[in-house]
């Protein structure tokens, strides 16, 4: 379903969020202080405008209060990003996601009501470390401190066996949510579905169980 987003700050982070949301078919109001950044996003947003995210009049004039989702994508100036977040929440924007530069910034943003705080470099660093840690992990999503979803490559020792035979849930406490085979994705696979070498198993579980499955089960 199409949603409306306002993106404030069109640096590397904001512009990549903008391009991806545009590709997903959403409506976007993209704003930045500089004309150059605004122009660069003109083909990826429904409306682009040069405006200041810390200026209440600018935000009001642009009807930002009518948006359900806002992304505050400038993080270097802590005071400005906190002020912008505060104003968006006061205007009634229900979902405000904000980029933070560090932990202290994150804590302040949470205090003023940010609905989600993102530290892109930190989050990406964690993701990359997990990918580097194992040859078998293709992708990694952290659900909480203890639980994650990882994409694992099925080895030849699993090949030709059904999920029931592999008994991954009982042996390792992990759940196979989907099996990817080239372009096909088998969502919620059944016990009799077979695994073939090279399949990607999208698997959810506790960190420790996933590690055990990766080391012993694959
Ligand atoms: P990144 O690390 O994602 O590239 P930058 O800090 O380089 O982020 O870019 C942030 C962008 O946000 C810049 O294009 C800058 O012009 C814009 N920006 C900074 N402050 C404001 C503001 N108050 N209102 C709107 N845009 C802003």
């Amino acid at each position: 379903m199409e949603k409306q987003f306002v993106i404030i700050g069109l640096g590397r982070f904001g512009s990549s969020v903008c391009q991806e949301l545009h590709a997903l078919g959403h409506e976007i109001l993209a704003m930045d202080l500089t004309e150059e950044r605004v122009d660069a996003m003109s083909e990826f947003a429904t409306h682009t405008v040069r405006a200041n995210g810390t200026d209440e009049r600018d935000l009001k004039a642009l009807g930002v209060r009518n948006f359900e989702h806002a992304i505050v994508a400038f993080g270097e100036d802590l005071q400005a990003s906190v002020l912008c977040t505060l104003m968006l929440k006061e205007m009634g924007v229900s979902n405000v996601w904000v980029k933070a530069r560090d932990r202290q910034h994150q804590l302040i943003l949470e205090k003023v009501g940010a609905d989600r705080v993102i530290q892109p470099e930190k989050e990406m660093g964690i993701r990359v470390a997990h990918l580097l840690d194992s040859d078998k992990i293709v992708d990694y999503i952290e659900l909480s401190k203890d639980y994650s979803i990882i994409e694992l490559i099925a080895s030849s020792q699993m090949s030709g066996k059904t999920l029931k035979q592999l008994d991954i849930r009982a042996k390792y406490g992990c759940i196979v949510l989907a099996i990817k085979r080239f372009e096909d994705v088998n969502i919620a696979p059944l016990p009799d579905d077979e695994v073939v070498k090279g399949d990607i198993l999208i698997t959810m579980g506790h960190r420790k169980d996933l590690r055990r499955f990766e080391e012993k089960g694959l």
Side-chain angles (χ1 to χ4, degrees):
M1 209 175 73
E2 188 183 293
K3 296 181 190 168
Q4 282 102 26
F5 294 89
V6 53
I7 304 177
I8 309 174
L10 303 170
R12 287 162 307 168
F13 179 71
S15 58
S16 99
V17 173
C18 181
Q19 289 178 44
E20 207 59 27
L21 285 174
H22 171 75
L24 291 167
H26 297 294
E27 201 178 301
I28 302 156
L29 166 64
M31 68 172 90
D32 197 285
L33 278 178
T34 67
E35 198 73 56
E36 201 189 335
R37 296 275 166 101
V38 170
D39 288 346
M41 275 307 105
S42 61
E43 60 180 301
F44 302 106
T46 326
H47 307 283
T48 46
V49 60
R50 200 174 82 76
N52 184 350
T54 60
D55 187 328
E56 199 168 3
R57 280 167 312 177
D58 275 1
L59 296 178
K60 282 195 171 149
L62 290 164
V64 165
R65 66 173 74 236
N66 300 317
F67 284 78
E68 227 178 290
H69 305 272
I71 298 105
V72 181
F74 56 96
E76 281 316 303
D77 183 348
L78 187 145
Q79 203 176 333
S81 106
V82 171
L83 181 62
C84 179
T85 306
L86 194 63
M87 287 193 298
L88 292 170
K89 287 313 291 180
E90 278 184 351
M91 284 179 187
V93 179
S94 48
N95 235 326
V96 180
W97 290 29
V98 194
K99 173 179 130 159
R101 64 168 191 220
D102 55 30
R103 173 101 187 113
Q104 191 192 21
H105 189 183
Q106 167 153 12
L107 291 174
I108 300 169
L109 289 168
E110 283 166 357
K111 281 262 183 297
V112 299
D115 297 282
R116 169 104 187 239
V117 182
I118 303 134
Q119 287 185 55
E121 290 86 356
K122 185 178 170 211
E123 289 175 21
M124 200 60 202
I126 293 171
R127 222 175 144 84
V128 168
H130 281 268
L131 300 180
L132 289 168
D133 178 53
S134 162
D135 300 336
K136 294 173 189 159
I137 300 181
V138 189
D139 209 349
Y140 166 90
I141 302 167
E142 191 176 75
L143 295 175
S144 70
K145 197 167 71 49
D146 293 326
Y147 290 89
S148 356
I149 295 176
I150 58 179
E151 293 193 359
L152 295 158
I153 307 171
S155 65
S156 50
Q157 66 164 317
M158 301 180 94
S159 206
K161 295 190 179 137
T162 63
L163 287 177
K164 194 159 65 190
Q165 288 167 331
L166 292 166
D167 211 11
I168 297 162
R169 190 166 184 170
K171 283 191 192 149
Y172 304 100
C174 304
I175 299 166
V176 176
L177 303 171
I179 301 176
K180 273 205 250 181
R181 190 171 299 159
F182 302 108
E183 294 303 306
D184 290 335
V185 184
N186 175 2
I187 299 281
L190 299 167
D192 288 329
D193 288 345
E194 212 176 79
V195 174
V196 173
K197 182 182 175 203
D199 280 356
I200 292 175
L201 308 179
I202 302 166
T203 312
M204 180 171 75
H206 193 283
R207 264 170 192 271
K208 284 190 205 145
D209 294 331
L210 287 169
R211 172 55 69 113
R212 225 160 34 87
F213 176 44
E214 184 201 331
E215 285 174 357
K216 302 213 173 83
L218 284 172

